């Protein structure tokens, strides 16, 4: 018999059913007790009573199910979920079950791939098939008698699965490192005098007689409409027979604004 990695001090559960021969069950338990020693413990559970057992979650290091010689145990989704619950984080399940080699959707006997999928859905990881072996004539009769299933395409498959290194359904607070957003930049205060300078009243814009001309100051003389780079803008009001200056507005200096120079057409 394989030792399944069982060592002294571990807690092991053996799951059996009505197809398990009593003497074979007793022999398996005796061997397991020798492996676990006085500090360990071996529990024996009937598969039909497992859901009503009083085992707390994370009770066993290793669970063996269907491994009693001569057993023809089938594992439902509920049984597999219960096994996953009472396994300790990092604990292993070793399972043996008769499977069909041909797909039959009406059969209660699963294929090997469906059995592996069932273990995965129960919450186990690292699920893998260990070995396959044919049924003996006695085991074929046991399948017919206890499962009511008859087929020429049956094999025994042994599969193992591991519980993740955390309790199923456990929670843990995550530390989130969130960068604090910088406060929006504060807009500079507006100089009231500048705001007043750049503001036109309704009276100033009462008709189409208001015009802006770029100007360039030469000494004390202002040249209006010059082709050279303007240094300010003058606001003029056209009156009958004359042109009255209203105000002068200085232009900011920016090299990127130098698009109006000699040889360039006015837009």
């Amino acid at each position: 018999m394989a030792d399944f990695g069982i060592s002294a001090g571990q807690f092991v559960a053996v799951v059996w059913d009505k197809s398990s021969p009593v003497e074979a069950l007793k022999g398996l338990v005796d061997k397991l007790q020798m492996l676990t020693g006085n500090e360990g413990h071996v529990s024996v559970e009937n598969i039909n009573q497992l859901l009503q057992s009083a085992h707390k979650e994370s009770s066993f290091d290793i669970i063996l199910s269907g491994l009693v010689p001569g057993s023809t145990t089938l594992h439902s989704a509920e049984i597999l979920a219960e096994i996953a619950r009472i396994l300790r984080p990092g604990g292993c399940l070793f399972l043996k079950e008769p499977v069909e080699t041909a797909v039959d959707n009406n059969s209660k006997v699963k294929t090997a791939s469906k059995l592996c999928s069932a273990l995965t859905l129960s919450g186990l990881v690292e699920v893998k098939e260990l070995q396959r072996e044919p049924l003996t004539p006695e085991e074929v009769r046991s399948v017919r008698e206890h499962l009511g299933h008859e087929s020429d395409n049956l094999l025994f498959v042994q599969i193992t699965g591991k519980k993740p290194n955390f309790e199923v359904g456990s929670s843990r607070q995550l530390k989130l490192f969130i960068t604090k957003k910088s406060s929006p930049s504060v807009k500079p205060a507006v100089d009231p005098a500048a705001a007043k300078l750049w503001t036109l009243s309704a009276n100033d814009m009462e008709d189409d007689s208001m015009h802006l001309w770029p100007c360039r100051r030469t000494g004390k003389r202002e040249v209006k409409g010059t082709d050279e780079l303007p240094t300010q803008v003058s606001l003029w009001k056209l009156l009958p027979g004359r042109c009255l200056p209203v105000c002068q507005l200085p232009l900011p200096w920016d090299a990127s604004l130098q698009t109006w120079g000699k040889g360039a057409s006015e837009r």
Side-chain angles (χ1 to χ4, degrees):
M1 184 200 75
D3 58 12
F4 303 106
I6 298 172
S7 58
Q10 288 187 321
F11 282 64
V12 179
V14 177
V15 181
W16 62 282
D17 71 348
K18 60 183 179 181
S19 67
S20 304
V22 177
E23 290 299 322
L25 174 61
K26 184 178 183 302
L28 175 60
V29 172
D30 291 341
K31 292 176 181 178
L32 294 176
Q33 288 176 337
M34 292 179 62
L35 294 173
T36 56
N38 295 329
E39 297 180 357
H41 183 71
V42 178
S43 296
V44 181
E45 293 291 340
N46 184 284
I47 195 169
N48 296 320
Q49 302 298 322
L50 187 61
L51 296 177
Q52 288 76 40
S53 66
H55 296 300
K56 296 181 180 179
E57 61 186 20
S58 303
S59 296
F60 299 101
D61 299 291
I62 293 177
I63 296 178
L64 308 179
S65 184
L67 283 161
V68 177
S71 297
T72 55
T73 307
L74 295 183
H75 300 81
S76 65
E78 293 78 11
I79 292 297
L80 293 176
E82 178 66 11
I83 289 175
R85 184 188 73 84
I86 61 178
L87 267 177
R88 290 177 178 172
C92 290
L93 164 67
F94 292 92
L95 172 151
K96 185 177 178 182
E97 182 172 318
V99 297
E100 280 279 3
T101 57
V103 178
D104 184 358
N105 294 328
N106 297 322
S107 174
K108 59 182 176 181
V109 178
K110 298 180 282 288
T111 61
S113 61
K114 288 186 176 181
L115 182 57
C116 289
S117 298
L119 266 70
T120 301
L121 291 175
S122 70
L124 301 182
V125 297
E126 300 181 25
V127 176
K128 58 184 178 181
E129 184 179 320
L130 297 178
Q131 66 180 31
R132 293 188 179 194
E133 59 186 42
L135 277 67
T136 64
E138 291 78 11
E139 290 167 339
V140 172
R141 286 194 294 269
S142 178
V143 169
R144 186 184 305 116
E145 179 183 351
H146 295 103
L147 304 180
H149 182 77
E150 187 171 357
S151 173
D152 296 329
N153 302 310
L154 292 176
L155 283 176
F156 264 129
V157 63
Q158 187 173 314
I159 297 176
T160 184
K162 182 180 179 181
K163 185 170 181 174
N165 290 320
F166 54 84
E167 184 54 66
V168 176
S170 62
S171 61
R172 182 177 181 182
Q173 184 177 4
L174 299 178
K175 295 182 180 180
L176 301 179
F177 298 93
I178 303 177
T179 304
K180 185 177 181 181
K181 293 184 178 179
S182 58
S183 58
S185 57
V186 180
K187 294 183 179 180
V190 179
D191 184 0
K196 183 178 180 180
L197 180 65
W198 285 92
T199 303
L200 298 178
S201 68
N203 293 331
D204 293 330
M205 302 301 293
E206 61 185 359
D207 53 28
D208 295 333
S209 64
M210 304 301 296
H211 294 275
L212 288 174
W213 277 286
C215 301
R216 182 176 181 273
R217 296 192 63 83
T218 305
K220 293 184 179 180
R221 184 171 62 89
E222 179 180 287
V223 180
K224 180 175 68 174
T226 178
D227 287 339
E228 298 184 12
L229 186 68
T231 59
Q232 63 183 10
V233 174
S234 295
L235 181 65
W236 295 75
K237 183 175 181 65
L238 298 180
L239 298 176
R242 61 191 180 124
C243 186
L244 179 66
V246 177
C247 65
Q248 294 178 347
L249 308 176
L251 287 176
W253 175 260
D254 190 336
S256 64
L257 299 177
Q258 299 182 33
T259 60
W260 185 21
K262 292 182 177 180
S265 60
E266 180 179 353
R267 295 182 180 179

